[in-house]
C-alpha cells in the first residue's frame, strides 16, 4: 500500500496507524463476540461494523480483509478507494451524515445529496478521527436503539461542536481528569519499567490537558449522561498518543438498562438542545451543519485532483 500510495494530502504513514487500530478492534471484538473463525464462550455473534467517517478507507479495507463484515461512509470519495478490490469498493459509500435530530427539523429534499441519519441497525460504530461526528457518536448510538444502544469505539481528533463548527471544549476539571486517569495500569517491575511508566504518565498528563483530551472528556461525559458505561484505553500508535473511548460493552454483554425508552429519549433531547445552544439553537445548528456538508461536497473536485 505504501508503494502504491495515491493520496497527496495524506501521509502513507497513516497505514501504520490504521493497522494498529485494526489490531486493537480485533482484540476487542474477540472479547465481545463469538466469531466464525475462532472458538468463543461468548454466544453473541459479531453484528458487523460501520466506520462513520472512513476517509481513505484503509481501516475498512483491513477489517474486511481480516474477515469482519462492515461498511464505511464518508462525505467525499477518496482516490484510495479505487485501489481496493471490487468487493471492498462495494462496502465504501459516499454519503453525507446528518444526525437524526437535525434531519427532523430540516427539509432533506433540498440538500440534493445521498445522506444518512446515523440511525444504524445492530452494528458496532467506529468513529476514528471523525471530527464533527465525534461528540455525536454516543448520541447516534443511543438513538439507534433506545432499549439497547449500539456499542462504539471513538478515537477523538479535531474538536467540533454539535453544529460542526470548530470549538475547543474547556479542559476537564480535577474530578473529570482523575476519572480519565483512573484506568491506568498499576506500576510493577524493575527500575527500568518504573522509569518507562513515569515517562508514560508525563505523556498522558499532557494529553489530558490538550484540546483532544478535552474533546475526549466531553464525549465521555455526554455518553455517560445518556446512560453509557464507557471504558477508556490508551492508544500508542506510531507517532501519537491518544485515548479510545469504548461504549456499550456492558450492554452487549446482556446487562439491562434500567431507564425507560422515554426517559432516554428525553435525556438525549435535553443534551442536544443544551449543546446546540452555543450555536444559536438546534435549528441554527442544523443549518450550519448542512452548510458545512455542502462546502465539503463543493471542495470534492479539488480533493480528488490532489
Amino acid at each position: 500500500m505504501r508503494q502504491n500510495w495515491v493520496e497527496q494530502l495524506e501521509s502513507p504513514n497513516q497505514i501504520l496507524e490504521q493497522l494498529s487500530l485494526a489490531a486493537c478492534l480485533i482484540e476487542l471484538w474477540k472479547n465481545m463476540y463469538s466469531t466464525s473463525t475462532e472458538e468463543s464462550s461468548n454466544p453473541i455473534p459479531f453484528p458487523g461494523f460501520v466506520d462513520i467517517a472512513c476517509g481513505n478507507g484503509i481501516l475498512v479495507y483491513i477489517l474486511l480483509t481480516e474477515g469482519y463484515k462492515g461498511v464505511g461512509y464518508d462525505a467525499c470519495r477518496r482516490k484510495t478507494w479505487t485501489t481496493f478490490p471490487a468487493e471492498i469498493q462495494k462496502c465504501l459509500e459516499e454519503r453525507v451524515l446528518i444526525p437524526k435530530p437535525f434531519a427532523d427539523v430540516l427539509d432533506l429534499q433540498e440538500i440534493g445529496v445521498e445522506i444518512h441519519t446515523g440511525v444504524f441497525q445492530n452494528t458496532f460504530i467506529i468513529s476514528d478521527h471523525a471530527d464533527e461526528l465525534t461528540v455525536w457518536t454516543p448520541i447516534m448510538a443511543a438513538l439507534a436503539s433506545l432499549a439497547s444502544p449500539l456499542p462504539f469505539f471513538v478515537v477523538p481528533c479535531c474538536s467540533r461542536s454539535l453544529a460542526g463548527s470548530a470549538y475547543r471544549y474547556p479542559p476537564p476539571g480535577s474530578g473529570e481528569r482523575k476519572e480519565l486517569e483512573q484506568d491506568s495500569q498499576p506500576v510493577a517491575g524493575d527500575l527500568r519499567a518504573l522509569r518507562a511508566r513515569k515517562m508514560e504518565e508525563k505523556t498522558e498528563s499532557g494529553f489530558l490537558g490538550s484540546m483532544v483530551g478535552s474533546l475526549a472528556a466531553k464525549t465521555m461525559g455526554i455518553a455517560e449522561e445518556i446512560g453509557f458505561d464507557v471504558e477508556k484505553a490508551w492508544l500508542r500508535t506510531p507517532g501519537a498518543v491518544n485515548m479510545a473511548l469504548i461504549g456499550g460493552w456492558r450492554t452487549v454483554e446482556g446487562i439491562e438498562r434500567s431507564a425507560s425508552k422515554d426517559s432516554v429519549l428525553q435525556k438525549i433531547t435535553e443534551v442536544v438542545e443544551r449543546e446546540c445552544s452555543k450555536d444559536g439553537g438546534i435549528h441554527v445548528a442544523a443549518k450550519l451543519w448542512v452548510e458545512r456538508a455542502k462546502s465539503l461536497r463543493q471542495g470534492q473536485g479539488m480533493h480528488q485532483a490532489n
Side-chain angles (χ1 to χ4, degrees), residues 21-66:
L21 290 178
C24 180
L25 283 165
I26 289 171
E27 292 303 314
L28 172 65
W29 291 339
K30 286 179 180 178
N31 285 291
M32 293 179 66
Y33 307 106
S34 63
T35 66
S36 58
T37 57
E38 297 185 15
E39 293 184 4
S40 173
S41 58
N42 194 331
I44 304 173
F46 179 65
F49 70 86
V50 56
D51 188 343
I52 58 176
C54 66
N56 54 37
I58 293 175
L59 182 59
V60 175
Y61 166 73
I62 297 169
L63 293 172
L64 290 174
T65 303
E66 291 296 317

Side-chain angles (χ1 to χ4, degrees), residues 190-227:
D190 57 18
L191 182 60
R192 181 179 296 178
L194 291 173
R195 287 174 176 169
R197 179 58 188 163
K198 288 298 182 182
M199 292 300 295
E200 289 177 359
E201 288 175 350
K202 291 181 181 179
T203 304
E204 293 169 1
S205 178
F207 170 82
L208 293 175
S210 68
M211 178 183 68
V212 180
S214 298
L215 175 61
K218 181 65 176 181
T219 305
M220 186 180 73
I222 285 180
E224 292 179 337
E225 188 175 354
I226 61 180

Side-chain angles (χ1 to χ4, degrees), residues 42-286:
N42 194 331
I44 304 173
F46 179 65
F49 70 86
V50 56
D51 188 343
I52 58 176
C54 66
N56 54 37
I58 293 175
L59 182 59
V60 175
Y61 166 73
I62 297 169
L63 293 172
L64 290 174
T65 303
E66 291 296 317
Y68 293 88
K69 64 179 181 179
V71 296
Y73 295 131
D74 201 90
C76 299
R77 182 176 298 275
R78 305 298 179 89
K79 284 185 176 181
T80 306
W81 295 8
T82 62
T83 67
F84 299 141
E87 60 271 19
I88 302 293
Q89 293 186 42
K90 293 178 181 178
C91 298
L92 295 167
E93 297 186 29
E94 185 180 25
R95 288 198 186 190
V96 172
L97 200 154
I98 299 179
K100 187 176 185 301
F102 285 171
D104 289 343
V105 298
L106 294 171
D107 183 359
L108 298 182
Q109 294 182 351
E110 295 181 358
I111 297 176
V113 297
E114 289 291 328
I115 67 166
H116 200 295
T117 60
V119 181
F120 304 104
Q121 301 297 319
N122 188 32
T123 191
F124 186 103
I125 300 177
I126 300 173
S127 181
D128 170 34
H129 289 62
D131 295 351
E132 60 268 24
L133 293 174
T134 300
V135 181
W136 273 108
T137 301
I139 298 174
M140 292 188 298
L143 284 173
S145 178
L146 295 173
S148 182
L150 302 180
F152 60 80
F153 182 91
V154 173
V155 181
C157 184
C158 300
S159 187
R160 306 282 183 180
S161 68
L162 285 193
S165 306
Y167 184 82
R168 176 160 187 163
Y169 293 97
S174 58
E176 293 170 310
R177 189 185 184 103
K178 183 177 180 181
E179 184 179 358
L180 280 169
E181 291 174 333
Q182 69 184 6
D183 284 346
S184 298
Q185 296 296 321
V187 175
D190 57 18
L191 182 60
R192 181 179 296 178
L194 291 173
R195 287 174 176 169
R197 179 58 188 163
K198 288 298 182 182
M199 292 300 295
E200 289 177 359
E201 288 175 350
K202 291 181 181 179
T203 304
E204 293 169 1
S205 178
F207 170 82
L208 293 175
S210 68
M211 178 183 68
V212 180
S214 298
L215 175 61
K218 181 65 176 181
T219 305
M220 186 180 73
I222 285 180
E224 292 179 337
E225 188 175 354
I226 61 180
F228 277 102
D229 292 300
V230 181
E231 303 278 347
K232 283 84 64 178
W234 287 106
L235 300 177
R236 292 176 180 83
T237 55
V241 174
N242 208 335
M243 177 183 284
L245 303 177
I246 306 166
W249 188 346
R250 296 176 67 182
T251 304
V252 169
E253 291 179 333
I255 297 178
E256 295 292 333
R257 289 171 61 97
S258 59
S260 67
K261 293 182 180 180
D262 289 341
S263 64
V264 173
L265 183 58
Q266 181 179 352
K267 175 57 68 175
I268 293 173
T269 302
E270 291 173 358
V271 168
V272 172
E273 290 179 349
R274 181 193 70 213
E275 294 299 317
C276 286
S277 64
K278 64 174 59 71
D279 288 294
I282 189 169
H283 286 83
V284 174

